[in-house]
Structure formats: structure tokens, C-alpha cells
Amino acid sequence: MSDKHTDAHRWWRDAVIYQVYVRSFLDSTGDGIGDLAGVRAGLPYLRKLGVDGIWLSPFYPSPQHDHGYDVADYCDVDPVFGDLAEFDRLTAAAHRLGIKVLLDIVPNHSSLQHPWFQEALASPAGSAARARFHFADGRGPDGAEPPNNWHSMFGGPAWSRVTEPDGTPGQWYLHMFTPEQPDWNWRNPAVGTEFERVLRFWLDRDVDGFRIDVAAGLFKHPALPDSPDPEADARTRDSVNPLAWNQPEVHDVWRRWRAVCEEYTARDGRERLLVGEVSVPSAREQAKYVRPDELHQAFFFDLLSAAWDADSFRKVISEAMQDIAGTGSTVTWVLNNHDQVRTVTRYGEPTPEGSGLGPARARAAALLMLALPGAAYIYQGEELGLPEVIDLPDDVLTDPIFRRTGKRARIRDGCRVPLPWSGQASPFGFTSGVEGTKPWLPQPDWFAEHATDRALADTRSFWHLYRDSLHLRALLPQLGEGTLRWLETEPDVLAFVRGDGLVCAVNFGTTPTTAPVSGVPLLASAPCPDGVLPGSTAAWWVAHDTGL
Ligand code: NOJ
């Protein structure tokens, strides 16, 4: 039996966490930008959906060059999103409803406006203030060439040159993302000490844990040598430069952070969660990050990037289960987040409304993910079957990737459009502003079909599928933590058994196949006649007496 019913303090092992992209969730102040009070107003909706917790995207003071992933003050709330008192109200309200609260912490880089970076700019080369970041002299005559050839993840050189306090062209600083996001130098102990203070600041405000941004980052190769393939990160939009990511020293940081969390757990028995955004080359490498004294969990992105076919899904699921075994963690599944094209669009033809096979496959994938052993993360709007908005005009795009590369490929605004809550026209109840207030990104007219009021009223909606599966997860001991056993199936089908006879099957093909279990499914992503599993459909059955 899953220990979710007996071992409440290990809640995270099979928790379903809802990612709130704060600026696009719900706007309570009428400025067209979502905020913390809006999140608080949405809590009953999330409680009804049945999630165990929320992860709040960064809401700290920030000039918003990368929507809050450029943090100017790690211990406050940007006035656009509220203030600390509102944060406390939100956390208390969430806890009253039994919803955990995770924050997004960004330790790899800060913001140009962080006071320590400002101090570094005002201080001379070689100063203690500069040693908290990666400042270095340039190469070539007059130091006019960057210190090495690395490129940033979002395109362009990973170094920018500063003007020294005396007005002369000076040193360079490293930024693996935008120039507005200078990387911290974690080889300087002051940085680690400061982040420990930040962790405690929020733990003292009763948060239940942290999603850690770029958790395979932090340390760079100590000599910062040239890379044989400097544009690899930008080309793949992944952390593949072996000199810039996944350095062995980072594990010491996670051990320290885990010890801080354990200290809080020792006081009240409640486990605090560290879940890492760990982009590393293999599941085996990822497993190192979730050893028993490091992070509790790391997102398993291979499911998200798997092509829609049975073999790919089976391979990534098997690898994850194998590599996680023995680490003390559980696999942390994810299909959508604020950086990726939404499943409805990814799995289908790229039509503006995301029609075709996309929605059916996205529903099937959701049912599959929620039947897998471990924890799962849902990105806001996923429960509404929101497609990606692929035709935003250039002049509204805000993703720094577009600004830095001039290319629309894989930009992230399309999955960040403010949620539709009600009504027939934008702003669809998203903002409390006076008539004419525009959401920060324009919502297409077809968002009406996905508004939460319609979704709640229609039992065939994505919302009901997510709600029903989350409620069954909470009830059925077979679901959540544990193992799975694959069943023999036809080539396009994946089927597995959880615990005592809970069968999940997915037909990745487009033609109906024989269901692995007869009888009416407990839950299905599309109508399933007895004994049949239609194409692009997943279903759950309880098969107690069949020997499965
Ligand atoms: C990963 C975050 O998910 C993404 O949104 C952000 O741009 C980068 N890290 C840099 O912080």
C-alpha cells in the first residue's frame, strides 16, 4: 500500500503540485497582471481540483527581464504581486485548505538590480564585492574580447563588459542566461551563506519547500576554459556545456540545503521539500541529485520531451523507475510547464485552436502520468486543456529568447497567456480591472471555450478528467508511490498494473484496440465501449479478480 495514508510527513513522495505562474493566474488589483491576492482568491478552485500543493513562480522584486527569474531581492515581494503581508495571508489560507506552498528559488543568477551586483559594479576589479559574481578581465588587446567563448542559453555571448567606476571600459561578468541575470560565484562562501539566510527567511514564514531553478548550475569549471562547442546550450536550449553545468561541487550545496530542511522537520515533523530543475544528460546523472541527503526530488523532463509513441514513453518511464530506485526519491513527472509548448499543441497539429489529435492525446497523457508511481506537477491551464497561443504578434512578445535571437522558435509567451476564468470575451474574468483593462498578454477569442466556468459545467471537460483522476489518486491505495508492472500488449499500446489490480492502458495509435481488461473503466480519457480501447485514449480499470 502506498504510504500516503499512513505517513503524512512524507507527503511529497506522491504529491500532485499545481504550478501557479503568478502573473497569469488571476489579477486582483486590476492592472492586467496576476498577483498573490489573485492566487489566494483561486485557492478554492484548486482545492476543488484536488491538488496537494502549489508552486508559485517567482514573485520577488525584479525588473522582470525574465519574468522574475532575475531576482533583485530574494526576501520580499514585488509590489506588482503584493507584499509580504499578502504572502502570509496566502500561505495561511492555503494551509487552512490543506494545500502546501512551494516557492521558486533562483540560486544560479540574480539581477543587475540586486544590491550586491550594484555594489560590484561600483567596486574595483579584484574587490570582495566582485568576487561574489564571475568578473574577469577580457582577452585580446585592451581586454576587448570576452574572457572565454561561452554563449548564453538564450543566445549571444555569456559575458558582458562593464564600464568601470572611473568611466573606462573594464571587466566582463558572466551570465548564462540574459545579461540582466549575472551568475553568482558559488566558489565564494559568502554566496552560500546568503542563500542559507534566504531559505530560513521563507521557512520561517511557513513555506513547505522550494522548486530550485537551474539546480544543475551554480558552479562552473574553476578555470572557465573555452568550450569546444560554445553554442551548444543556445542551440539545444539545454544545459549541455559540460564546463558550465553539473559540476560535482553543486552536490555539497544540496546537502547543506537538505540539512536546513531537516532542521525544520525535526522541530515539527513536517517535511519541507526541495525539488530541483535538474537538466543533466541522463537519468543516471539526475539520480545523483536525489540521493538521500540531497534534493528530495528532481523533475523528470524526459517524459515531457518524449515523442508521442508507445516505445518512447515505455523507454523513458522504465529508465526513470530504474534510475530512481535506491535513491530515496520518487519520480517527479511533468508534462507541461511555463517553458514548454503545451501538450494539447505539442501532440497535435499546430492549428491556432489546437484541434485534431492534440487534445485527445493530451488527455490520455494526463491519465497516464497520474497513474505512474511518484509525484506529478500540473501547469496552470493544463487542467483546462489550454492549447498554446501560437500566433501572438511580435510586438507583444516578452520572452527574452525572442529579443535575443529574433526567432520565434520555442519562445515561451504562448504557454503564459493569462488564464480564462469566465465569459465570452477577453479578459475572461482574469482581471478585476475596469472595462478595457488588458491582460499583460492578449488572450485569443477561442479562450472562451476553455474558461473555467465552462469547464466546471461540462463533465466531459479536461477539468473533470483531472479532478476525477486526482480524487481517485487520493482514494485508491494502488495509486501514488510504489512500483508498476508492464503488461504484454499490442505494439501501439502501453499497459501496466499498479499494486493490487489497478490497470492503466494507453492506446498511442489512432485505431481501436482490445482493452487489456474487460468491463467499464473506472476512468477514461474518452468513451470506451466494453472491451475496447479507442485510439489516442487512456483508461484505468480495477481488475481485482483477474489475476493481474
Ligand atoms: C528555468 C526557468 O524555468 C526559466 O523560466 C528561466 O528563464 C530560466 N530557468 C532562467 O532562470
Side-chain angles (χ1 to χ4, degrees):
M1 174 173 153
S2 150
D3 59 9
K4 70 187 149 187
H5 304 295
T6 53
D7 199 1
H9 77 276
R10 309 185 85 203
W11 57 271
W12 50 271
R13 302 185 67 79
D14 51 15
V16 178
I17 307 289
Y18 183 97
Q19 181 189 353
V20 179
Y21 197 67
V22 178
R23 62 169 39 244
S24 298
F25 185 73
L26 186 58
D27 165 26
S28 76
T29 56
D31 61 358
I33 299 176
D35 46 53
L36 294 182
V39 180
R40 183 158 56 90
L43 288 174
Y45 165 82
L46 297 175
R47 161 104 176 134
K48 202 182 286 180
L49 183 61
V51 296
D52 299 302
I54 52 176
W55 145 28
L56 299 168
S57 56
F59 51 72
Y60 317 105
S62 160
Q64 305 289 329
H65 287 286
D66 186 18
H67 288 323
Y69 287 96
D70 46 326
V71 181
D73 180 350
Y74 288 84
C75 294
D76 206 346
V77 175
D78 195 295
V80 167
F81 300 122
D83 55 21
L84 282 172
E86 181 48 52
F87 174 81
D88 291 340
R89 280 194 289 276
L90 166 58
T91 308
H95 286 166
R96 273 197 299 278
L97 293 175
I99 295 175
K100 311 273 191 227
V101 178
L102 306 182
L103 301 196
D104 204 324
I105 189 160
V106 190
N108 180 70
H109 44 267
S110 70
S111 154
L112 288 186
Q113 287 186 15
H114 191 285
W116 281 13
F117 193 76
Q118 287 297 313
E119 191 185 334
L121 287 181
S123 305
S127 60
R130 289 212 172 168
R132 295 168 181 149
F133 300 89
H134 294 281
F135 277 86
D137 293 334
R139 298 195 288 197
D142 306 326
E145 302 293 323
N148 73 20
N149 67 353
W150 295 1
H151 275 235
S152 90
M153 180 82 79
F154 292 168
W159 296 89
S160 290
R161 196 169 194 186
V162 301
T163 303
E164 295 299 345
D166 65 5
T168 56
Q171 288 197 298
W172 297 71
Y173 68 90
L174 179 71
H175 49 83
M176 294 309 296
F177 293 90
T178 72
E180 293 84 7
Q181 294 166 294
D183 279 42
W184 291 107
N185 175 12
W186 275 83
R187 296 189 189 277
N188 182 336
V191 172
T193 306
E194 173 62 3
F195 271 92
E196 223 173 284
R197 183 185 76 81
V198 172
L199 283 188
R200 289 178 192 283
F201 175 87
W202 293 109
L203 289 167
D204 288 340
R205 295 194 104 90
D206 218 17
V207 303
D208 299 282
F210 302 91
R211 175 266 186 190
I212 304 168
D213 192 58
V214 195
L218 281 60
F219 286 84
K220 281 82 191 165
H221 187 290
L224 299 174
D226 273 346
S227 162
D229 184 5
E231 290 184 50
D233 286 348
R235 190 175 60 243
T236 58
R237 263 261 316 283
D238 205 353
S239 339
V240 292
N241 175 354
L243 305 163
W245 313 106
N246 197 25
Q247 303 296 300
E249 298 88 338
V250 75
H251 295 285
D252 294 335
V253 176
W254 306 141
R255 286 190 197 102
R256 268 175 81 182
W257 286 29
R258 179 69 177 250
V260 171
C261 289
E262 300 296 342
E263 207 184 294
Y264 280 77
T265 302
R267 288 186 205 160
D268 61 13
R270 274 170 46 210
E271 282 210 358
R272 296 349 187 247
L273 166 65
L274 298 174
V275 55
E277 184 205 30
V278 175
S279 292
V280 285
S282 66
R284 181 158 311 167
E285 203 52 35
Q286 171 156 342
K288 292 187 186 161
Y289 284 76
V290 292
R291 288 176 286 203
D293 59 347
E294 297 198 34
L295 304 180
H296 300 78
Q297 291 178 322
F299 295 117
F300 185 73
F301 290 124
D302 289 1
L303 186 71
L304 188 153
S305 43
W308 180 256
D309 72 70
D311 287 347
S312 307
F313 269 63
R314 182 175 175 138
K315 182 167 176 288
V316 298
I317 293 166
S318 301
E319 274 178 12
M321 297 301 299
Q322 211 172 349
D323 286 309
I324 211 78
T327 60
S329 181
T330 50
V331 187
T332 307
W333 307 103
V334 51
L335 289 168
N336 290 283
N337 66 30
H338 65 293
D339 293 330
Q340 304 294 336
V341 172
R342 288 181 178 277
T343 35
V344 168
T345 305
R346 214 164 67 219
Y347 295 147
E349 306 86 65
T351 58
E353 297 84 7
S355 59
L357 289 172
R361 290 173 173 172
R363 290 170 65 91
L367 221 50
L368 167 67
M369 174 176 80
L370 293 169
L372 290 172
Y377 281 66
I378 298 173
Y379 173 50
Q380 70 180 34
E382 182 178 332
E383 81 285 11
L384 301 172
L386 268 191
E388 187 84 357
V389 182
I390 58 171
D391 49 5
L392 291 165
D394 284 4
D395 61 346
V396 303
L397 298 179
T398 61
D399 188 345
I401 296 176
F402 180 66
R403 192 163 35 86
R404 285 183 66 74
T405 62
K407 294 190 190 132
R408 282 179 149 273
R410 297 195 293 165
I411 51 163
R412 302 167 297 172
D413 293 286
C415 64
R416 299 174 176 180
V417 176
L419 288 189
W421 290 88
S422 58
Q424 295 302 320
S426 181
F428 298 111
F430 164 72
T431 169
S432 64
V434 292
E435 211 174 316
T437 307
K438 290 198 167 66
W440 70 275
L441 274 177
Q443 300 159 305
D445 293 343
W446 51 263
F447 257 34
E449 288 163 41
H450 301 277
T452 60
D453 60 350
R454 269 171 85 159
L456 264 78
D458 179 359
T459 53
R460 295 158 310 168
S461 68
F462 267 77
W463 195 87
H464 280 274
L465 183 71
Y466 273 83
R467 205 280 307 258
D468 291 352
S469 49
L470 294 183
H471 283 236
L472 284 173
R473 257 179 89 99
L475 283 174
L476 295 175
Q478 294 98 327
L479 291 171
E481 197 180 351
T483 53
L484 64 72
R485 186 163 50 82
W486 295 108
L487 296 176
E488 288 292 319
T489 56
E490 293 171 40
D492 266 348
V493 178
L494 275 194
F496 55 85
V497 191
R498 299 290 323 274
D500 179 18
L502 190 289
V503 176
C504 170
V506 189
N507 182 353
F508 286 79
T510 48
T511 51
T513 178
T514 310
V517 182
S518 57
V520 180
L522 201 57
L523 189 61
S525 63
C528 286
D530 192 357
V532 175
L533 185 60
S536 312
T537 300
W540 295 355
W541 296 261
V542 176
H544 280 308
D545 302 323
T546 60
L548 287 173

